[in-house]
Amino acid sequence: TQAPVNVTVTGAAGQIGYALLFRIASGQLLGQDKPVRLRLLEIPQAVKAAEGTALELEDGAFPLLAGIDIFDDAKQAFEGTNVALLVGARPRTKGMERGDLLEANGGIFKPQGEAINAGAADDVKVLVVGNPANTNALIAKAHAPDVPAERFTAMTRLDHNRAIAQLAKKLGVPVTEVKKMTIWGNHSATQYPDIFNAEVNGTSAAEAVGDQAWLENEFIPRVAKRGAEIIEARGASSAASAANAAIDHIYNWVNGTPEGDWVSMGVPSDGSYGVPEGLISSFPVVCRDGSYEIVQGLEINDFSRAKIDASVAELSEERDAVRKLGLV
Ligand code: NAI
């Protein structure tokens, strides 16, 4: 049998953590042949709750779960980690300005980046889920100069999955017939779900829909504001679907994307599609052998160009704001 893979989860006592940890323990994060050792990071006040979840994990008697350790210190939590899921973040509270939000999150993601730099395994892969995810990933990356930049990613897979589901529903087809969906830009209300490069049954999804008004007035806002719709209905923010997306993101990164398809990931831009180098922006990516590549050569029409540019402009503003705060 293989040595266990060390998986660090921050915000382990939160609602996404609760939905995520059992799926990791059951082997869905990495695959059924890979034992995992969980390393949970929480703030001191929430360590007890994380310990409670650890008791329940024990009660799952998961064959692939090799151990659980709980920390309130980032340096220890990221020691030897192979997969780091950065879920815990500072939420925006009433009356909080964006600058305050970014500063508070800088206080979390800067030390976590430093801890990853200091102690993580050479093959570490980082997924930032905690919002603002793209810019939190940028902050962590900035403080881990010894880790290859492309290992820092942000989650737009939930948006990607939401877009697939809404498109499949509109066309009355199973989700499995929708391929090559792309989320471009920021994980925020400015994100752009692109159906012009998507395929349904092997033909253009935009042509199959043939309804620009639906695209502009229903599909794009529905996907971009789905988080608010969930809060309104559930009285709490998306948790199980977010955990599911985190599982999908890492599973594909580690095990590859299916032939003839791609996924969306927030990754450091190499300048592709006019996105300024270094920004962590969502792109279509293909994964193979534990690494990913941005899909090249896609046609971007004027409508898409304007949407991508608007979301990327927001990312640039967030980067400028954290630069001013000395966080990157
Ligand atoms: P939650 O509030 O239920 O849990 C967050 C947990 O993080 C809490 O237990 C808290 O104690 C912990 N935490 C705070 N600071 C920490 C630190 N410095 N180190 C370790 N743990 C820390 O929140 P929930 O619902 O689990 O969501 C977590 C984050 O994920 C939020 O920022 C949310 O906005 C984001 N999110 C992102 C999505 C995406 O698509 N990228 C989708 C849904 C949520």
Side-chain angles (χ1 to χ4, degrees), residues 145-183:
D146 304 329
V147 177
E150 72 271 11
R151 307 287 188 75
F152 285 86
T153 67
M155 190 167 93
T156 54
R157 186 61 176 268
L158 178 54
D159 310 298
H160 177 98
N161 288 347
R162 286 167 169 165
I164 290 175
Q166 290 303 318
L167 180 62
K169 204 159 136 185
K170 166 76 173 170
L171 294 173
V173 301
V175 288
T176 47
E177 283 178 21
V178 176
K179 310 273 190 226
K180 302 184 176 175
M181 180 58 73
T182 305
I183 303 293

PDB file of all heavy atoms in Angstrom, residues 145-183:
ATOM      1  N   PRO A 145       7.449  32.158  -1.958  1.00  0.00           N
ATOM      2  CA  PRO A 145       8.299  32.314  -3.141  1.00  0.00           C
ATOM      3  C   PRO A 145       9.004  31.035  -3.580  1.00  0.00           C
ATOM      4  O   PRO A 145       9.405  30.927  -4.742  1.00  0.00           O
ATOM      5  CB  PRO A 145       9.327  33.368  -2.690  1.00  0.00           C
ATOM      6  CG  PRO A 145       9.332  33.292  -1.195  1.00  0.00           C
ATOM      7  CD  PRO A 145       7.923  32.944  -0.809  1.00  0.00           C
ATOM      8  N   ASP A 146       9.124  30.057  -2.674  1.00  0.00           N
ATOM      9  CA  ASP A 146       9.839  28.823  -3.033  1.00  0.00           C
ATOM     10  C   ASP A 146       8.931  27.753  -3.625  1.00  0.00           C
ATOM     11  O   ASP A 146       9.401  26.698  -4.055  1.00  0.00           O
ATOM     12  CB  ASP A 146      10.552  28.241  -1.798  1.00  0.00           C
ATOM     13  CG  ASP A 146      11.484  29.258  -1.165  1.00  0.00           C
ATOM     14  OD1 ASP A 146      12.023  30.103  -1.910  1.00  0.00           O
ATOM     15  OD2 ASP A 146      11.652  29.225   0.073  1.00  0.00           O
ATOM     16  N   VAL A 147       7.628  28.042  -3.615  1.00  0.00           N
ATOM     17  CA  VAL A 147       6.662  27.097  -4.190  1.00  0.00           C
ATOM     18  C   VAL A 147       6.345  27.591  -5.599  1.00  0.00           C
ATOM     19  O   VAL A 147       6.083  28.778  -5.791  1.00  0.00           O
ATOM     20  CB  VAL A 147       5.367  27.046  -3.335  1.00  0.00           C
ATOM     21  CG1 VAL A 147       4.327  26.121  -3.963  1.00  0.00           C
ATOM     22  CG2 VAL A 147       5.683  26.621  -1.905  1.00  0.00           C
ATOM     23  N   PRO A 148       6.367  26.691  -6.605  1.00  0.00           N
ATOM     24  CA  PRO A 148       6.022  27.151  -7.954  1.00  0.00           C
ATOM     25  C   PRO A 148       4.658  27.842  -7.955  1.00  0.00           C
ATOM     26  O   PRO A 148       3.697  27.345  -7.362  1.00  0.00           O
ATOM     27  CB  PRO A 148       5.976  25.849  -8.767  1.00  0.00           C
ATOM     28  CG  PRO A 148       6.840  24.890  -8.008  1.00  0.00           C
ATOM     29  CD  PRO A 148       6.688  25.258  -6.562  1.00  0.00           C
ATOM     30  N   ALA A 149       4.599  29.007  -8.601  1.00  0.00           N
ATOM     31  CA  ALA A 149       3.392  29.848  -8.538  1.00  0.00           C
ATOM     32  C   ALA A 149       2.146  29.098  -8.993  1.00  0.00           C
ATOM     33  O   ALA A 149       1.055  29.308  -8.456  1.00  0.00           O
ATOM     34  CB  ALA A 149       3.593  31.095  -9.401  1.00  0.00           C
ATOM     35  N   GLU A 150       2.305  28.207  -9.983  1.00  0.00           N
ATOM     36  CA  GLU A 150       1.115  27.542 -10.546  1.00  0.00           C
ATOM     37  C   GLU A 150       0.449  26.569  -9.579  1.00  0.00           C
ATOM     38  O   GLU A 150      -0.635  26.075  -9.848  1.00  0.00           O
ATOM     39  CB  GLU A 150       1.452  26.837 -11.866  1.00  0.00           C
ATOM     40  CG  GLU A 150       2.282  25.575 -11.751  1.00  0.00           C
ATOM     41  CD  GLU A 150       3.791  25.829 -11.776  1.00  0.00           C
ATOM     42  OE1 GLU A 150       4.222  27.002 -11.683  1.00  0.00           O
ATOM     43  OE2 GLU A 150       4.548  24.846 -11.886  1.00  0.00           O
ATOM     44  N   ARG A 151       1.086  26.336  -8.430  1.00  0.00           N
ATOM     45  CA  ARG A 151       0.460  25.448  -7.445  1.00  0.00           C
ATOM     46  C   ARG A 151      -0.622  26.154  -6.640  1.00  0.00           C
ATOM     47  O   ARG A 151      -1.335  25.522  -5.865  1.00  0.00           O
ATOM     48  CB  ARG A 151       1.505  24.899  -6.482  1.00  0.00           C
ATOM     49  CG  ARG A 151       2.679  24.247  -7.154  1.00  0.00           C
ATOM     50  CD  ARG A 151       2.350  22.890  -7.760  1.00  0.00           C
ATOM     51  NE  ARG A 151       3.606  22.314  -8.192  1.00  0.00           N
ATOM     52  CZ  ARG A 151       4.502  21.797  -7.338  1.00  0.00           C
ATOM     53  NH1 ARG A 151       4.230  21.729  -6.057  1.00  0.00           N
ATOM     54  NH2 ARG A 151       5.647  21.343  -7.782  1.00  0.00           N
ATOM     55  N   PHE A 152      -0.724  27.479  -6.793  1.00  0.00           N
ATOM     56  CA  PHE A 152      -1.746  28.234  -6.066  1.00  0.00           C
ATOM     57  C   PHE A 152      -2.948  28.472  -6.967  1.00  0.00           C
ATOM     58  O   PHE A 152      -2.850  29.161  -7.984  1.00  0.00           O
ATOM     59  CB  PHE A 152      -1.183  29.570  -5.560  1.00  0.00           C
ATOM     60  CG  PHE A 152      -0.287  29.381  -4.371  1.00  0.00           C
ATOM     61  CD1 PHE A 152       1.057  29.080  -4.539  1.00  0.00           C
ATOM     62  CD2 PHE A 152      -0.799  29.458  -3.090  1.00  0.00           C
ATOM     63  CE1 PHE A 152       1.879  28.865  -3.443  1.00  0.00           C
ATOM     64  CE2 PHE A 152       0.008  29.250  -1.980  1.00  0.00           C
ATOM     65  CZ  PHE A 152       1.358  28.956  -2.159  1.00  0.00           C
ATOM     66  N   THR A 153      -4.078  27.887  -6.587  1.00  0.00           N
ATOM     67  CA  THR A 153      -5.276  28.000  -7.413  1.00  0.00           C
ATOM     68  C   THR A 153      -6.457  28.466  -6.561  1.00  0.00           C
ATOM     69  O   THR A 153      -6.433  28.355  -5.336  1.00  0.00           O
ATOM     70  CB  THR A 153      -5.618  26.639  -8.059  1.00  0.00           C
ATOM     71  OG1 THR A 153      -6.023  25.707  -7.043  1.00  0.00           O
ATOM     72  CG2 THR A 153      -4.424  26.073  -8.832  1.00  0.00           C
ATOM     73  N   ALA A 154      -7.462  29.005  -7.230  1.00  0.00           N
ATOM     74  CA  ALA A 154      -8.674  29.458  -6.542  1.00  0.00           C
ATOM     75  C   ALA A 154      -9.876  28.742  -7.138  1.00  0.00           C
ATOM     76  O   ALA A 154      -9.879  28.381  -8.322  1.00  0.00           O
ATOM     77  CB  ALA A 154      -8.829  30.967  -6.698  1.00  0.00           C
ATOM     78  N   MET A 155     -10.891  28.564  -6.324  1.00  0.00           N
ATOM     79  CA  MET A 155     -12.021  27.733  -6.764  1.00  0.00           C
ATOM     80  C   MET A 155     -13.079  28.504  -7.547  1.00  0.00           C
ATOM     81  O   MET A 155     -13.733  29.389  -7.017  1.00  0.00           O
ATOM     82  CB  MET A 155     -12.679  27.058  -5.566  1.00  0.00           C
ATOM     83  CG  MET A 155     -13.683  26.003  -6.018  1.00  0.00           C
ATOM     84  SD  MET A 155     -14.203  24.922  -4.693  1.00  0.00           S
ATOM     85  CE  MET A 155     -15.665  25.766  -4.124  1.00  0.00           C
ATOM     86  N   THR A 156     -13.249  28.122  -8.818  1.00  0.00           N
ATOM     87  CA  THR A 156     -14.392  28.573  -9.609  1.00  0.00           C
ATOM     88  C   THR A 156     -15.157  27.351 -10.123  1.00  0.00           C
ATOM     89  O   THR A 156     -16.014  27.474 -10.988  1.00  0.00           O
ATOM     90  CB  THR A 156     -13.959  29.472 -10.793  1.00  0.00           C
ATOM     91  OG1 THR A 156     -12.972  28.791 -11.573  1.00  0.00           O
ATOM     92  CG2 THR A 156     -13.402  30.784 -10.310  1.00  0.00           C
ATOM     93  N   ARG A 157     -14.853  26.186  -9.554  1.00  0.00           N
ATOM     94  CA  ARG A 157     -15.503  24.960 -10.017  1.00  0.00           C
ATOM     95  C   ARG A 157     -16.985  24.930  -9.639  1.00  0.00           C
ATOM     96  O   ARG A 157     -17.792  24.341 -10.364  1.00  0.00           O
ATOM     97  CB  ARG A 157     -14.766  23.745  -9.435  1.00  0.00           C
ATOM     98  CG  ARG A 157     -15.274  22.414  -9.963  1.00  0.00           C
ATOM     99  CD  ARG A 157     -15.115  22.306 -11.484  1.00  0.00           C
ATOM    100  NE  ARG A 157     -15.525  21.000 -11.970  1.00  0.00           N
ATOM    101  CZ  ARG A 157     -14.708  19.954 -12.127  1.00  0.00           C
ATOM    102  NH1 ARG A 157     -13.414  20.059 -11.842  1.00  0.00           N
ATOM    103  NH2 ARG A 157     -15.154  18.812 -12.582  1.00  0.00           N
ATOM    104  N   LEU A 158     -17.347  25.562  -8.524  1.00  0.00           N
ATOM    105  CA  LEU A 158     -18.765  25.598  -8.180  1.00  0.00           C
ATOM    106  C   LEU A 158     -19.522  26.389  -9.242  1.00  0.00           C
ATOM    107  O   LEU A 158     -20.597  25.975  -9.691  1.00  0.00           O
ATOM    108  CB  LEU A 158     -18.963  26.202  -6.777  1.00  0.00           C
ATOM    109  CG  LEU A 158     -20.413  26.341  -6.296  1.00  0.00           C
ATOM    110  CD1 LEU A 158     -21.173  25.026  -6.381  1.00  0.00           C
ATOM    111  CD2 LEU A 158     -20.442  26.884  -4.871  1.00  0.00           C
ATOM    112  N   ASP A 159     -18.959  27.497  -9.676  1.00  0.00           N
ATOM    113  CA  ASP A 159     -19.585  28.292 -10.741  1.00  0.00           C
ATOM    114  C   ASP A 159     -19.674  27.477 -12.032  1.00  0.00           C
ATOM    115  O   ASP A 159     -20.681  27.493 -12.732  1.00  0.00           O
ATOM    116  CB  ASP A 159     -18.755  29.562 -10.977  1.00  0.00           C
ATOM    117  CG  ASP A 159     -18.464  30.283  -9.671  1.00  0.00           C
ATOM    118  OD1 ASP A 159     -19.411  30.714  -9.010  1.00  0.00           O
ATOM    119  OD2 ASP A 159     -17.276  30.378  -9.298  1.00  0.00           O
ATOM    120  N   HIS A 160     -18.608  26.762 -12.329  1.00  0.00           N
ATOM    121  CA  HIS A 160     -18.536  25.894 -13.506  1.00  0.00           C
ATOM    122  C   HIS A 160     -19.656  24.839 -13.452  1.00  0.00           C
ATOM    123  O   HIS A 160     -20.400  24.648 -14.417  1.00  0.00           O
ATOM    124  CB  HIS A 160     -17.146  25.236 -13.510  1.00  0.00           C
ATOM    125  CG  HIS A 160     -16.886  24.247 -14.587  1.00  0.00           C
ATOM    126  ND1 HIS A 160     -16.217  24.564 -15.745  1.00  0.00           N
ATOM    127  CD2 HIS A 160     -17.180  22.922 -14.672  1.00  0.00           C
ATOM    128  CE1 HIS A 160     -16.111  23.469 -16.502  1.00  0.00           C
ATOM    129  NE2 HIS A 160     -16.690  22.473 -15.877  1.00  0.00           N
ATOM    130  N   ASN A 161     -19.783  24.183 -12.316  1.00  0.00           N
ATOM    131  CA  ASN A 161     -20.808  23.143 -12.178  1.00  0.00           C
ATOM    132  C   ASN A 161     -22.213  23.740 -12.250  1.00  0.00           C
ATOM    133  O   ASN A 161     -23.126  23.149 -12.838  1.00  0.00           O
ATOM    134  CB  ASN A 161     -20.609  22.383 -10.868  1.00  0.00           C
ATOM    135  CG  ASN A 161     -19.384  21.472 -10.898  1.00  0.00           C
ATOM    136  OD1 ASN A 161     -18.819  21.209 -11.958  1.00  0.00           O
ATOM    137  ND2 ASN A 161     -18.959  21.002  -9.729  1.00  0.00           N
ATOM    138  N   ARG A 162     -22.380  24.917 -11.651  1.00  0.00           N
ATOM    139  CA  ARG A 162     -23.682  25.586 -11.717  1.00  0.00           C
ATOM    140  C   ARG A 162     -24.045  25.910 -13.164  1.00  0.00           C
ATOM    141  O   ARG A 162     -25.194  25.744 -13.587  1.00  0.00           O
ATOM    142  CB  ARG A 162     -23.636  26.892 -10.915  1.00  0.00           C
ATOM    143  CG  ARG A 162     -23.654  26.692  -9.400  1.00  0.00           C
ATOM    144  CD  ARG A 162     -23.286  27.984  -8.680  1.00  0.00           C
ATOM    145  NE  ARG A 162     -23.536  27.903  -7.248  1.00  0.00           N
ATOM    146  CZ  ARG A 162     -23.056  28.757  -6.356  1.00  0.00           C
ATOM    147  NH1 ARG A 162     -22.286  29.781  -6.766  1.00  0.00           N
ATOM    148  NH2 ARG A 162     -23.340  28.633  -5.081  1.00  0.00           N
ATOM    149  N   ALA A 163     -23.074  26.365 -13.921  1.00  0.00           N
ATOM    150  CA  ALA A 163     -23.313  26.734 -15.325  1.00  0.00           C
ATOM    151  C   ALA A 163     -23.688  25.503 -16.150  1.00  0.00           C
ATOM    152  O   ALA A 163     -24.611  25.554 -16.971  1.00  0.00           O
ATOM    153  CB  ALA A 163     -22.068  27.420 -15.903  1.00  0.00           C
ATOM    154  N   ILE A 164     -22.997  24.394 -15.918  1.00  0.00           N
ATOM    155  CA  ILE A 164     -23.341  23.153 -16.625  1.00  0.00           C
ATOM    156  C   ILE A 164     -24.781  22.752 -16.303  1.00  0.00           C
ATOM    157  O   ILE A 164     -25.569  22.419 -17.192  1.00  0.00           O
ATOM    158  CB  ILE A 164     -22.370  22.011 -16.236  1.00  0.00           C
ATOM    159  CG1 ILE A 164     -20.981  22.264 -16.819  1.00  0.00           C
ATOM    160  CG2 ILE A 164     -22.915  20.652 -16.691  1.00  0.00           C
ATOM    161  CD1 ILE A 164     -19.935  21.249 -16.389  1.00  0.00           C
ATOM    162  N   ALA A 165     -25.129  22.811 -15.022  1.00  0.00           N
ATOM    163  CA  ALA A 165     -26.470  22.369 -14.603  1.00  0.00           C
ATOM    164  C   ALA A 165     -27.563  23.252 -15.201  1.00  0.00           C
ATOM    165  O   ALA A 165     -28.589  22.749 -15.673  1.00  0.00           O
ATOM    166  CB  ALA A 165     -26.555  22.373 -13.073  1.00  0.00           C
ATOM    167  N   GLN A 166     -27.343  24.568 -15.215  1.00  0.00           N
ATOM    168  CA  GLN A 166     -28.363  25.478 -15.757  1.00  0.00           C
ATOM    169  C   GLN A 166     -28.515  25.309 -17.265  1.00  0.00           C
ATOM    170  O   GLN A 166     -29.623  25.361 -17.795  1.00  0.00           O
ATOM    171  CB  GLN A 166     -28.007  26.935 -15.421  1.00  0.00           C
ATOM    172  CG  GLN A 166     -28.141  27.280 -13.936  1.00  0.00           C
ATOM    173  CD  GLN A 166     -29.537  27.019 -13.392  1.00  0.00           C
ATOM    174  OE1 GLN A 166     -30.546  27.309 -14.038  1.00  0.00           O
ATOM    175  NE2 GLN A 166     -29.607  26.436 -12.200  1.00  0.00           N
ATOM    176  N   LEU A 167     -27.401  25.097 -17.942  1.00  0.00           N
ATOM    177  CA  LEU A 167     -27.452  24.917 -19.398  1.00  0.00           C
ATOM    178  C   LEU A 167     -28.148  23.600 -19.755  1.00  0.00           C
ATOM    179  O   LEU A 167     -28.996  23.548 -20.657  1.00  0.00           O
ATOM    180  CB  LEU A 167     -26.033  24.953 -19.980  1.00  0.00           C
ATOM    181  CG  LEU A 167     -25.921  24.774 -21.491  1.00  0.00           C
ATOM    182  CD1 LEU A 167     -26.638  25.885 -22.246  1.00  0.00           C
ATOM    183  CD2 LEU A 167     -24.439  24.727 -21.918  1.00  0.00           C
ATOM    184  N   ALA A 168     -27.813  22.545 -19.021  1.00  0.00           N
ATOM    185  CA  ALA A 168     -28.427  21.238 -19.276  1.00  0.00           C
ATOM    186  C   ALA A 168     -29.942  21.306 -19.050  1.00  0.00           C
ATOM    187  O   ALA A 168     -30.725  20.756 -19.830  1.00  0.00           O
ATOM    188  CB  ALA A 168     -27.804  20.176 -18.363  1.00  0.00           C
ATOM    189  N   LYS A 169     -30.331  22.038 -18.024  1.00  0.00           N
ATOM    190  CA  LYS A 169     -31.752  22.187 -17.701  1.00  0.00           C
ATOM    191  C   LYS A 169     -32.480  22.927 -18.827  1.00  0.00           C
ATOM    192  O   LYS A 169     -33.563  22.524 -19.264  1.00  0.00           O
ATOM    193  CB  LYS A 169     -31.856  22.974 -16.393  1.00  0.00           C
ATOM    194  CG  LYS A 169     -33.117  22.761 -15.618  1.00  0.00           C
ATOM    195  CD  LYS A 169     -32.868  23.150 -14.164  1.00  0.00           C
ATOM    196  CE  LYS A 169     -34.002  23.964 -13.607  1.00  0.00           C
ATOM    197  NZ  LYS A 169     -33.715  24.434 -12.242  1.00  0.00           N
ATOM    198  N   LYS A 170     -31.869  23.998 -19.292  1.00  0.00           N
ATOM    199  CA  LYS A 170     -32.470  24.790 -20.369  1.00  0.00           C
ATOM    200  C   LYS A 170     -32.693  23.936 -21.618  1.00  0.00           C
ATOM    201  O   LYS A 170     -33.722  24.034 -22.284  1.00  0.00           O
ATOM    202  CB  LYS A 170     -31.543  25.977 -20.680  1.00  0.00           C
ATOM    203  CG  LYS A 170     -31.831  26.716 -21.972  1.00  0.00           C
ATOM    204  CD  LYS A 170     -33.052  27.608 -21.855  1.00  0.00           C
ATOM    205  CE  LYS A 170     -33.218  28.464 -23.109  1.00  0.00           C
ATOM    206  NZ  LYS A 170     -34.535  29.158 -23.109  1.00  0.00           N
ATOM    207  N   LEU A 171     -31.719  23.080 -21.942  1.00  0.00           N
ATOM    208  CA  LEU A 171     -31.788  22.297 -23.177  1.00  0.00           C
ATOM    209  C   LEU A 171     -32.458  20.933 -22.967  1.00  0.00           C
ATOM    210  O   LEU A 171     -32.643  20.188 -23.937  1.00  0.00           O
ATOM    211  CB  LEU A 171     -30.380  22.113 -23.755  1.00  0.00           C
ATOM    212  CG  LEU A 171     -29.704  23.403 -24.233  1.00  0.00           C
ATOM    213  CD1 LEU A 171     -28.254  23.137 -24.620  1.00  0.00           C
ATOM    214  CD2 LEU A 171     -30.464  24.028 -25.407  1.00  0.00           C
ATOM    215  N   GLY A 172     -32.788  20.624 -21.725  1.00  0.00           N
ATOM    216  CA  GLY A 172     -33.431  19.343 -21.451  1.00  0.00           C
ATOM    217  C   GLY A 172     -32.542  18.145 -21.736  1.00  0.00           C
ATOM    218  O   GLY A 172     -33.013  17.112 -22.225  1.00  0.00           O
ATOM    219  N   VAL A 173     -31.240  18.292 -21.458  1.00  0.00           N
ATOM    220  CA  VAL A 173     -30.298  17.176 -21.667  1.00  0.00           C
ATOM    221  C   VAL A 173     -29.626  16.824 -20.340  1.00  0.00           C
ATOM    222  O   VAL A 173     -29.585  17.658 -19.425  1.00  0.00           O
ATOM    223  CB  VAL A 173     -29.199  17.531 -22.715  1.00  0.00           C
ATOM    224  CG1 VAL A 173     -29.829  17.884 -24.062  1.00  0.00           C
ATOM    225  CG2 VAL A 173     -28.301  18.674 -22.222  1.00  0.00           C
ATOM    226  N   PRO A 174     -29.097  15.609 -20.209  1.00  0.00           N
ATOM    227  CA  PRO A 174     -28.335  15.282 -18.996  1.00  0.00           C
ATOM    228  C   PRO A 174     -27.057  16.125 -18.909  1.00  0.00           C
ATOM    229  O   PRO A 174     -26.500  16.494 -19.953  1.00  0.00           O
ATOM    230  CB  PRO A 174     -27.971  13.809 -19.168  1.00  0.00           C
ATOM    231  CG  PRO A 174     -28.713  13.311 -20.358  1.00  0.00           C
ATOM    232  CD  PRO A 174     -29.127  14.485 -21.165  1.00  0.00           C
ATOM    233  N   VAL A 175     -26.625  16.396 -17.693  1.00  0.00           N
ATOM    234  CA  VAL A 175     -25.403  17.201 -17.508  1.00  0.00           C
ATOM    235  C   VAL A 175     -24.190  16.575 -18.213  1.00  0.00           C
ATOM    236  O   VAL A 175     -23.274  17.287 -18.629  1.00  0.00           O
ATOM    237  CB  VAL A 175     -25.059  17.422 -16.013  1.00  0.00           C
ATOM    238  CG1 VAL A 175     -26.036  18.380 -15.367  1.00  0.00           C
ATOM    239  CG2 VAL A 175     -25.004  16.105 -15.256  1.00  0.00           C
ATOM    240  N   THR A 176     -24.211  15.283 -18.367  1.00  0.00           N
ATOM    241  CA  THR A 176     -23.078  14.593 -18.994  1.00  0.00           C
ATOM    242  C   THR A 176     -22.918  14.949 -20.467  1.00  0.00           C
ATOM    243  O   THR A 176     -21.880  14.694 -21.064  1.00  0.00           O
ATOM    244  CB  THR A 176     -23.252  13.067 -18.886  1.00  0.00           C
ATOM    245  OG1 THR A 176     -24.587  12.740 -19.287  1.00  0.00           O
ATOM    246  CG2 THR A 176     -23.020  12.593 -17.467  1.00  0.00           C
ATOM    247  N   GLU A 177     -23.958  15.546 -21.070  1.00  0.00           N
ATOM    248  CA  GLU A 177     -23.840  15.918 -22.484  1.00  0.00           C
ATOM    249  C   GLU A 177     -23.261  17.311 -22.679  1.00  0.00           C
ATOM    250  O   GLU A 177     -23.006  17.736 -23.805  1.00  0.00           O
ATOM    251  CB  GLU A 177     -25.196  15.767 -23.179  1.00  0.00           C
ATOM    252  CG  GLU A 177     -25.482  14.309 -23.451  1.00  0.00           C
ATOM    253  CD  GLU A 177     -26.823  14.048 -24.098  1.00  0.00           C
ATOM    254  OE1 GLU A 177     -27.392  14.973 -24.699  1.00  0.00           O
ATOM    255  OE2 GLU A 177     -27.290  12.907 -23.979  1.00  0.00           O
ATOM    256  N   VAL A 178     -23.087  18.039 -21.580  1.00  0.00           N
ATOM    257  CA  VAL A 178     -22.489  19.377 -21.674  1.00  0.00           C
ATOM    258  C   VAL A 178     -20.989  19.263 -21.454  1.00  0.00           C
ATOM    259  O   VAL A 178     -20.541  18.735 -20.432  1.00  0.00           O
ATOM    260  CB  VAL A 178     -23.103  20.333 -20.621  1.00  0.00           C
ATOM    261  CG1 VAL A 178     -22.415  21.691 -20.670  1.00  0.00           C
ATOM    262  CG2 VAL A 178     -24.602  20.472 -20.826  1.00  0.00           C
ATOM    263  N   LYS A 179     -20.220  19.747 -22.432  1.00  0.00           N
ATOM    264  CA  LYS A 179     -18.753  19.705 -22.321  1.00  0.00           C
ATOM    265  C   LYS A 179     -18.182  21.099 -22.552  1.00  0.00           C
ATOM    266  O   LYS A 179     -18.820  21.955 -23.165  1.00  0.00           O
ATOM    267  CB  LYS A 179     -18.144  18.778 -23.386  1.00  0.00           C
ATOM    268  CG  LYS A 179     -18.783  17.399 -23.476  1.00  0.00           C
ATOM    269  CD  LYS A 179     -18.147  16.427 -22.514  1.00  0.00           C
ATOM    270  CE  LYS A 179     -18.637  15.017 -22.794  1.00  0.00           C
ATOM    271  NZ  LYS A 179     -19.023  14.307 -21.577  1.00  0.00           N
ATOM    272  N   LYS A 180     -16.941  21.258 -22.112  1.00  0.00           N
ATOM    273  CA  LYS A 180     -16.166  22.473 -22.413  1.00  0.00           C
ATOM    274  C   LYS A 180     -16.830  23.764 -21.924  1.00  0.00           C
ATOM    275  O   LYS A 180     -16.795  24.787 -22.608  1.00  0.00           O
ATOM    276  CB  LYS A 180     -15.848  22.543 -23.910  1.00  0.00           C
ATOM    277  CG  LYS A 180     -15.071  21.314 -24.391  1.00  0.00           C
ATOM    278  CD  LYS A 180     -14.672  21.429 -25.846  1.00  0.00           C
ATOM    279  CE  LYS A 180     -13.825  20.222 -26.261  1.00  0.00           C
ATOM    280  NZ  LYS A 180     -13.510  20.206 -27.687  1.00  0.00           N
ATOM    281  N   MET A 181     -17.427  23.695 -20.752  1.00  0.00           N
ATOM    282  CA  MET A 181     -17.917  24.913 -20.107  1.00  0.00           C
ATOM    283  C   MET A 181     -16.701  25.703 -19.618  1.00  0.00           C
ATOM    284  O   MET A 181     -15.677  25.110 -19.262  1.00  0.00           O
ATOM    285  CB  MET A 181     -18.807  24.524 -18.926  1.00  0.00           C
ATOM    286  CG  MET A 181     -19.385  25.694 -18.167  1.00  0.00           C
ATOM    287  SD  MET A 181     -20.376  26.788 -19.195  1.00  0.00           S
ATOM    288  CE  MET A 181     -21.835  25.790 -19.453  1.00  0.00           C
ATOM    289  N   THR A 182     -16.801  27.020 -19.619  1.00  0.00           N
ATOM    290  CA  THR A 182     -15.710  27.830 -19.069  1.00  0.00           C
ATOM    291  C   THR A 182     -16.267  28.938 -18.195  1.00  0.00           C
ATOM    292  O   THR A 182     -17.209  29.624 -18.589  1.00  0.00           O
ATOM    293  CB  THR A 182     -14.878  28.498 -20.181  1.00  0.00           C
ATOM    294  OG1 THR A 182     -14.398  27.506 -21.089  1.00  0.00           O
ATOM    295  CG2 THR A 182     -13.687  29.254 -19.581  1.00  0.00           C
ATOM    296  N   ILE A 183     -15.676  29.106 -17.024  1.00  0.00           N
ATOM    297  CA  ILE A 183     -15.875  30.312 -16.220  1.00  0.00           C
ATOM    298  C   ILE A 183     -14.609  31.130 -16.392  1.00  0.00           C
ATOM    299  O   ILE A 183     -13.501  30.623 -16.188  1.00  0.00           O
ATOM    300  CB  ILE A 183     -16.071  29.978 -14.715  1.00  0.00           C
ATOM    301  CG1 ILE A 183     -17.250  29.028 -14.494  1.00  0.00           C
ATOM    302  CG2 ILE A 183     -16.198  31.267 -13.894  1.00  0.00           C
ATOM    303  CD1 ILE A 183     -18.628  29.583 -14.809  1.00  0.00           C
TER     304      ILE A 183
END
